[in-house]
Amino acid sequence: MSLLIMLKLSIIYKPKALSFICKCVGGTDISKKVMCYIKGNLMDSSTDLINLEAKDIPCECEVIMYSRFSINEESIINVDEALLKSVTDLNKPVILTVSREELYLDWIKILKPDGNAKDAKVLCDFALKHNVQGYILNSITPQCVFRSFNENVGKYIIPYIKQLKQCGPDLIIGVTVEAIPSSIKNPCMYNFEELNDLVNFYEVQTFKLNECVPNLYNGRTPITKSEHGANYLYGMEEVASYLKESKICLTKLSYNIEMYPVYNDQTTYTSYKKVCKGEFDCSTYCVQTTKNFYDKGKFVHDENSGIIVMILDLDDIGNDCQCTSAFIGFKNIIAGFVGGSHIPCTKFDIQSIEYPIK
């Protein structure tokens, strides 16, 4: 059996006129940039996957979000500097994901009432040295692995961000927002009133809102609401309604879109290269279609928000599906987002079951 892996990536995008004959534009407002999460070096984990080379990143990506980066509780950075340099050499803004090695548990350990000046300085110095324009802070609320909630993280992340901002006024700061209602509504987890003035954007994490249940839906995050009960699925419309009831700055929202095949054990992922070759079982995998992606792009456009795609490396980057181009999942998300036309592809659109919810 082929080795499958768990990874993460995202793309952030803001509506603008954009054709697939790329017309990449400049500007300084990060909320109006196309930002693409890149993992890189996937063949190190599985020879079934393809490495996405920096030179092949679609030109729609105006800002690169590089996720092969972490920092531990001793403020020691783990990064593939050669791969990072290949990205910064593109001469596009690069943002790094601040993934703590122990996720939320590390934030509990490193944050103090005055933030953590040492940790922030390490990140600041790294950004200056490596031509990095910003950071996005992940896992600042309890994930499923950590059931306990420590209210100090929500308090102390504020001075920590202020310390990061001392790198300079142009340093870009993003914060991930866990999309479950209990997190959105809890001001001790997300002090939006203070965060709104400090962060440049929020990544609304709408991936893995539900388990993969192929007989209910061919993904884990539908758009529309469904009736509560045995077949209930938490959807993006419902997420949007909770955000609108909160104090979050709605003009700084970016929704992420999960676009890689997911096994129903909830922890195993693969790429669309496998789908294109027919090397999966749609009764055990959640596999979305080009229309699913197009519709989600349109939904985010209608919300007047930015967009995050997970994972660019796991799209059909080698065009094994023989579509009109490589990155057909990404292309359809962007098409829906900018008011373009849906681009179908027979081998990519292998999941043909009709579902009662969209």
Side-chain angles (χ1 to χ4, degrees):
M1 179 177 291
S2 299
L3 178 63
L4 303 174
I5 63 173
M6 180 175 179
L7 303 163
K8 181 177 179 182
L9 176 153
S10 309
I11 300 174
I12 299 177
Y13 189 84
K14 199 71 176 175
K16 66 174 69 174
L18 177 67
S19 70
F20 292 113
I21 300 175
C22 297
K23 297 178 181 177
C24 301
V25 298
T28 57
D29 186 353
I30 197 66
S31 68
K32 292 180 172 59
K33 301 291 186 181
V34 182
M35 299 200 287
C36 304
Y37 264 95
I38 306 301
K39 185 70 175 179
N41 287 351
L42 297 192
M43 290 182 69
D44 288 353
S45 301
S46 171
T47 56
D48 290 329
L49 300 176
I50 305 172
N51 285 342
L52 175 57
E53 303 295 338
K55 64 181 178 58
D56 297 323
I57 295 171
C59 75
E60 292 96 336
C61 301
E62 297 173 283
V63 177
I64 309 300
M65 302 190 72
Y66 180 84
S67 63
R68 194 175 284 275
F69 178 91
S70 64
I71 182 169
N72 66 15
E73 62 180 291
E74 284 82 32
S75 304
I76 298 173
I77 287 172
N78 180 12
V79 64
D80 183 335
E81 292 194 14
L83 182 55
L84 175 59
K85 185 176 185 303
S86 73
V87 175
T88 57
D89 281 349
L90 295 174
N91 293 318
K92 294 184 177 184
V94 175
I95 296 176
L96 302 181
T97 59
V98 180
S99 299
R100 313 302 312 199
E101 291 193 350
E102 295 294 329
L103 303 177
Y104 186 66
L105 186 60
D106 265 6
W107 284 118
I108 295 173
K109 292 176 182 177
I110 71 111
L111 290 176
K112 307 300 178 187
D114 58 351
N116 188 319
K118 173 192 171 185
D119 197 83
K121 186 176 187 303
V122 167
L123 291 175
C124 181
D125 291 345
F126 186 90
L128 293 172
K129 179 180 178 182
H130 294 276
N131 193 28
V132 168
Q133 278 66 50
Y135 293 101
I136 180 166
L137 310 184
N138 288 330
S139 305
I140 64 171
T141 58
Q143 306 299 300
C144 59
V145 178
F146 304 108
R147 299 293 182 182
S148 61
F149 161 59
N150 188 313
E151 67 178 17
N152 288 335
V153 175
K155 292 179 183 177
Y156 302 160
I157 199 70
I158 302 297
Y160 181 81
I161 294 174
K162 290 179 179 178
Q163 289 165 345
L164 283 175
K165 293 296 250 183
Q166 291 177 9
C167 290
D170 295 330
L171 186 74
I172 298 164
I173 298 295
V175 168
T176 61
V177 175
E178 189 179 17
I180 63 173
S182 59
S183 295
I184 294 171
K185 294 178 178 181
N186 189 339
C188 294
M189 287 192 184
Y190 293 111
N191 182 352
F192 291 129
E193 289 185 280
E194 291 199 58
L195 286 171
N196 288 338
D197 293 331
L198 296 174
V199 306
N200 299 91
F201 68 94
Y202 294 101
E203 176 190 354
V204 183
Q205 295 187 318
T206 60
F207 70 101
K208 66 179 183 182
L209 290 186
N210 307 282
E211 294 183 350
C212 168
V213 187
N215 65 316
L216 291 180
Y217 181 66
N218 62 328
R220 294 192 295 181
T221 306
I223 296 173
T224 54
K225 294 180 180 179
S226 61
E227 294 296 324
H228 285 261
N231 295 333
Y232 167 73
L233 293 175
Y234 184 31
M236 295 179 72
E237 289 181 348
E238 201 167 355
V239 171
S241 69
Y242 288 121
L243 290 168
K244 290 169 185 175
E245 293 170 0
S246 77
K247 294 182 179 180
I248 197 170
C249 181
L250 296 176
T251 62
K252 294 185 177 182
L253 298 186
S254 292
Y255 289 83
N256 62 28
I257 306 296
E258 180 179 75
M259 63 163 298
Y260 43 90
V262 183
Y263 190 58
N264 62 6
D265 67 0
Q266 319 309 326
T267 62
T268 304
Y269 304 76
T270 189
S271 77
Y272 273 91
K273 173 184 177 182
K274 302 281 286 185
V275 174
C276 296
K277 293 187 173 183
E279 298 173 359
F280 81 107
D281 181 351
C282 64
S283 68
T284 56
Y285 269 89
C286 282
V287 177
Q288 302 245 279
T289 66
T290 56
K291 189 61 165 60
N292 293 138
F293 295 140
Y294 178 87
D295 289 342
K296 288 183 176 179
K298 184 178 184 303
F299 168 82
V300 179
H301 169 270
D302 293 345
E303 289 295 312
N304 196 29
S305 297
I307 197 160
I308 303 174
V309 178
M310 304 175 58
I311 303 169
L312 194 61
D313 308 53
L314 295 180
D315 198 353
D316 182 19
I317 68 176
N319 201 11
D320 287 284
C321 279
Q322 300 174 346
C323 305
T324 56
S325 72
F327 299 98
I328 197 65
F330 171 68
K331 297 290 187 182
N332 272 283
I333 290 172
I334 300 303
F337 193 57
V338 301
S341 299
H342 168 228
I343 313 163
C345 180
T346 302
K347 289 187 178 180
F348 193 95
D349 296 332
I350 194 70
Q351 177 59 271
S352 60
I353 298 174
E354 294 294 328
Y355 292 92
I357 61 173
K358 178 177 169 183

